[in-house]
Amino acid sequence: MFAAAIFHKEYDVVGYSSAKWDKKINYSGAASICDVAEVQPNFFITPGLCEPNPKLENPSFSFLFIMEAPADEQLYPIAVLVDELKHEDTTLRLNAIRRLSTIACALGPQRTRDELVPFLDESTDDEDEVLLALAEELGNFSTCVGGNEHAHVLLRPLETLAAVEETVVRDMAVESLCKTAELLNQQQMEDHFVPLVKRLSSGDWFTSRTSAAGLFAAGHTKLTPETVDEMRKLFARLAHDDTPMVRRAAAKSLPKLAIVLSKEQLLSDLIPLIDSLSRDEQDSVRLLVVEAVISIAEKLDPEETKTHLLPILKNMISDRSWRVRYMIAEKYIALSKAVGDEIVKSDLITSFVQILKDNEAEVRTAACSQLPGFASLIDREVVLGTFVACTKDLITDTAQQVRAMLATHISGLAPILGKEQTLENLQPLFLQLLKDESSDVRLNIIRQLEQVNNVIGIEMLSQSILPAVVELAEDKQWRVRLAIIEYIPTLARQLGPDMFDKQLGTMCMSWLADPVFSIREAAIVNLKQLIEVFGSEWATATVIPQISTMAADSNYLHRMTTLFAIATIASTLDCKLLDESVLPIVLSLANDPIPNIRFNVAKTLEALVPLLKQSDDTAEHVDNKITPVLNKLGDDTDSDVSSIDSSLFTIHISLRFFPFFFLSRFRTSTYKYYITNKNPSKRSEA
Amino acid sequence: ERERNEWEIEKAEYKARIALLEGERRGFANLKLDLMKRVKMLEYALRQERKKYMNNP
């Protein structure tokens, strides 16, 4: 970039930019020719191009020369932005746009309006990411252009952005336009915003027309009645557009429009539009009308709703496309609240039964999720009479997701029906769902037990539900048993310790002796979680005695399970309990005739040692009780047993502050092996 | 042979890492340049404002 500049003896620099920058730039800096020559060595003095400048009083000392653009020109804010927007790196361009307000701040409001905004309007030829950022920034730009009275200058670049191909950019531009419209006064709306909406809605491409559909609701209250009428006609034209994309956008903006329009306008204009859109050939358009119906019904009287909206609604409930019916099912509670009690009673109850029996599983699933919410809106007798029969059918539904959704929400019916009816009607359904083959269904029903618990009380619940749980716990299929074990902690939390011991305690222990290893393993993890729920005292009273009897079992596999269980639950018990009750059990097994048990004793001790070391009292016992045993195991005749010991010693040593004090107390083969192989340098010390 | 392969794989990984870090560094350098330019621009704008204010207080 080159610029021409005249230097004056008073050191004023008056610059004329080259062809690229045809605006006159004034530099009045403290720069003498010599100074400039020093800092800018590459300038050329061309006296022939000298122009007389009326501003300079004494032109005798003037030169005209060309040089690299002086530092000041590069600081010209727009130039900075241009530079940044020329980067190859998208992230840098993005950063430039994100900090657009700095540029505007440097330019001041006047020049932002005159130069920056037109420039931005022209530079909308970038990647979508950058354009999205630009659209977002422009939405918050009103202070930078000099406040609300100038905010309308932002409409032009936003209009360009609202017509681009990428949907995300367009949506952001529409959002920013709506934001800007809120700031405009009536005159600006009439002069700038309304023409913009008109231009967009008559655009050739559907992109601009879809954007236009989102703009009708913005700033609606500020317009004169004539303009409002005109705008409504325009919107009606969009709602009857040839392309489904535009009709969809119009249907989407209906709820917003319904909020700003008056009741008469709703009845005269919107209802016919909704009617025609609800009978659109595209189901993607029809399903968007559901929301509009809800927001309009909220503004109308029950009587008006009945005459105007009910036919449309009925039509949609029995729509041939399941997506539309799904939409209805999903919004059923909101819909029922909007239309009011009377219509719910007269029409919506039967329609709900109809969608509960829909032949698409998705629709039934959505309906199931609305079940308790809708039931709370209507009479108890009706719920009993109609819905309970429906749910009975749904429990044996072929689609798993329907049953799973029903299992989540069916307990919500319990508070509505009350204690007796729940026991009489719902309980059989619970039991049946609890025996469902799908684990999702069972899990969902167990998760929701608390709600039922609050209604019928824990006594009744345990009497009715627990037998089913127990039955499943003894199922022949080990996968079913496994599934139940996984839910036991959840169930235990709801039942509380007393009820749990009475009903399920023995069952949890019997799993420890299960013939399938996975079940035993899961039962051990389950014990750990139960101790986390009920606390250490519960463990002392119930778990520890059970474990100690198992340690004396004749089957070596059961003795091994004992060790596994101890290793797993040890971290949840406190040190004292470990030392007094758990450690003796482990040590007593060290003399077991089976090498496998001895091997696992060593492994279990490995898990216990760091825990015992946490407290000072018990740390002593490590030396007194554990080390002699380990010592003996180190000399074991079985090679596996003595080999695990060597690795245990290393862990031992690393945990101690003075390893050689500790080590010097044993002279086992393992220890020697360790010293010679792993730490030869310290041998002399030992 | 195997050791050599492992060494080569390791070397390739390090090279990729260096390339990534170099790219990142370039990005940061550019960003810093831009930010410096912006600071200078703001300083300039402030000088201009101040001069305007000095001329007609």
Side-chain angles (χ1 to χ4, degrees), chain A residues 274 278 286-290 293 311-321 324-325 328:
Chain A
I274 286 188
S278 74
R286 294 202 300 273
L287 68 88
L288 288 169
V289 180
V290 177
V293 170
I312 300 175
L313 197 58
K314 272 184 170 169
N315 195 10
M316 290 179 78
I317 289 171
S318 49
D319 198 285
R320 63 187 181 280
S321 160
V324 179
R325 298 197 305 268
I328 295 263

Coordinates of all heavy atoms in Angstrom, one line a residue, chain A residues 274 278 286-290 293 311-321 324-325 328:
Chain A
I274 N -54.3 -21.2 9.7 CA -54.0 -22.5 10.4 C -54.8 -23.6 9.8 O -54.3 -24.7 9.6 CB -54.4 -22.3 11.9 CG1 -53.3 -21.5 12.6 CG2 -54.5 -23.7 12.6 CD1 -53.4 -21.4 14.0
S278 N -53.0 -26.7 8.3 CA -53.2 -28.0 8.9 C -53.7 -29.1 7.9 O -53.8 -30.2 8.2 CB -54.3 -27.9 10.1 OG -55.5 -27.8 9.5
R286 N -47.7 -29.7 8.5 CA -48.8 -29.9 9.4 C -48.4 -30.1 10.8 O -49.1 -29.6 11.7 CB -49.6 -31.2 8.9 CG -50.2 -31.1 7.6 CD -51.3 -32.1 7.4 NE -50.9 -33.4 7.5 CZ -50.5 -34.2 6.5 NH1 -50.4 -33.7 5.3 NH2 -50.1 -35.4 6.8
L287 N -47.3 -30.7 11.0 CA -46.9 -31.0 12.4 C -46.5 -29.7 13.2 O -46.6 -29.7 14.4 CB -45.9 -32.1 12.6 CG -44.5 -31.9 12.1 CD1 -43.6 -31.3 13.2 CD2 -43.9 -33.2 11.7
L288 N -46.1 -28.7 12.4 CA -45.7 -27.4 13.1 C -47.0 -26.6 13.5 O -46.8 -25.7 14.3 CB -44.9 -26.6 12.1 CG -43.5 -27.1 11.9 CD1 -42.9 -26.4 10.7 CD2 -42.7 -27.0 13.1
V289 N -48.1 -27.0 13.0 CA -49.3 -26.2 13.4 C -49.7 -26.5 14.8 O -50.4 -25.7 15.4 CB -50.5 -26.6 12.4 CG1 -51.7 -25.8 12.7 CG2 -50.0 -26.2 11.0
V290 N -49.3 -27.7 15.3 CA -49.8 -28.1 16.7 C -49.4 -27.0 17.7 O -50.3 -26.5 18.5 CB -49.1 -29.4 17.1 CG1 -49.5 -29.7 18.5 CG2 -49.5 -30.5 16.1
V293 N -51.6 -24.0 17.4 CA -53.0 -24.2 18.0 C -52.9 -24.0 19.5 O -53.8 -23.3 20.0 CB -53.5 -25.6 17.6 CG1 -54.7 -26.0 18.4 CG2 -53.7 -25.8 16.2
P311 N -62.5 -28.2 15.3 CA -62.5 -29.0 14.1 C -61.1 -29.3 13.6 O -60.8 -30.4 13.2 CB -63.3 -28.2 13.1 CG -64.1 -27.2 14.0 CD -63.3 -27.0 15.2
I312 N -60.2 -28.2 13.6 CA -58.9 -28.4 13.2 C -58.2 -29.4 14.0 O -57.5 -30.3 13.5 CB -58.1 -27.0 13.3 CG1 -58.8 -26.0 12.4 CG2 -56.7 -27.2 12.8 CD1 -58.2 -24.6 12.6
L313 N -58.3 -29.3 15.3 CA -57.6 -30.2 16.2 C -58.1 -31.7 16.0 O -57.2 -32.6 15.9 CB -58.0 -29.8 17.6 CG -57.1 -30.3 18.7 CD1 -55.6 -29.9 18.5 CD2 -57.5 -29.7 20.1
K314 N -59.4 -31.9 15.9 CA -59.9 -33.2 15.7 C -59.3 -33.8 14.4 O -58.9 -35.0 14.4 CB -61.4 -33.2 15.5 CG -62.1 -33.3 16.9 CD -63.6 -33.3 16.6 CE -64.4 -33.7 17.8 NZ -65.8 -33.5 17.6
N315 N -59.3 -33.0 13.4 CA -58.7 -33.4 12.1 C -57.3 -33.9 12.3 O -56.8 -34.9 11.7 CB -58.8 -32.2 11.2 CG -58.6 -32.6 9.8 OD1 -58.6 -33.7 9.5 ND2 -58.4 -31.6 8.9
M316 N -56.5 -33.1 13.1 CA -55.1 -33.4 13.3 C -54.9 -34.7 14.1 O -53.9 -35.4 13.9 CB -54.3 -32.2 13.9 CG -54.2 -31.1 12.9 SD -53.4 -29.7 13.7 CE -51.7 -30.3 13.5
I317 N -55.7 -34.9 15.1 CA -55.6 -36.1 15.9 C -55.7 -37.3 15.1 O -55.0 -38.3 15.4 CB -56.6 -36.0 17.1 CG1 -56.2 -34.9 18.1 CG2 -56.6 -37.4 17.8 CD1 -57.2 -34.7 19.2
S318 N -56.6 -37.3 14.1 CA -56.7 -38.5 13.3 C -56.0 -38.3 11.9 O -56.4 -38.8 10.9 CB -58.2 -38.8 13.0 OG -58.8 -37.6 12.6
D319 N -54.9 -37.5 12.0 CA -54.1 -37.3 10.8 C -53.5 -38.6 10.3 O -53.2 -39.5 11.0 CB -53.0 -36.3 11.1 CG -52.4 -35.7 9.9 OD1 -51.6 -36.4 9.1 OD2 -52.7 -34.5 9.6
R320 N -53.3 -38.7 9.0 CA -52.9 -40.0 8.4 C -51.3 -40.1 8.6 O -50.8 -41.2 8.6 CB -53.2 -40.1 6.9 CG -52.6 -39.0 6.0 CD -53.1 -39.1 4.6 NE -52.4 -38.1 3.8 CZ -52.8 -36.8 3.8 NH1 -53.8 -36.4 4.5 NH2 -52.1 -36.0 3.0
S321 N -50.6 -39.0 8.9 CA -49.2 -39.1 9.2 C -48.9 -39.3 10.7 O -49.4 -38.5 11.5 CB -48.5 -37.9 8.7 OG -47.2 -37.7 9.3
V324 N -47.4 -36.3 12.7 CA -48.4 -35.3 13.2 C -49.0 -35.8 14.5 O -49.1 -35.0 15.5 CB -49.4 -34.9 12.2 CG1 -50.4 -33.9 12.7 CG2 -48.8 -34.4 10.9
R325 N -49.4 -37.0 14.5 CA -50.1 -37.6 15.7 C -49.1 -37.6 16.8 O -49.4 -37.4 18.0 CB -50.6 -39.0 15.4 CG -51.7 -39.0 14.3 CD -52.4 -40.3 14.3 NE -51.6 -41.5 14.2 CZ -51.2 -42.1 13.1 NH1 -51.7 -41.6 11.9 NH2 -50.5 -43.2 13.1
I328 N -48.9 -34.2 18.4 CA -50.1 -34.0 19.3 C -49.9 -34.8 20.6 O -50.1 -34.2 21.7 CB -51.3 -34.6 18.6 CG1 -51.6 -33.8 17.3 CG2 -52.5 -34.6 19.5 CD1 -52.7 -32.7 17.4

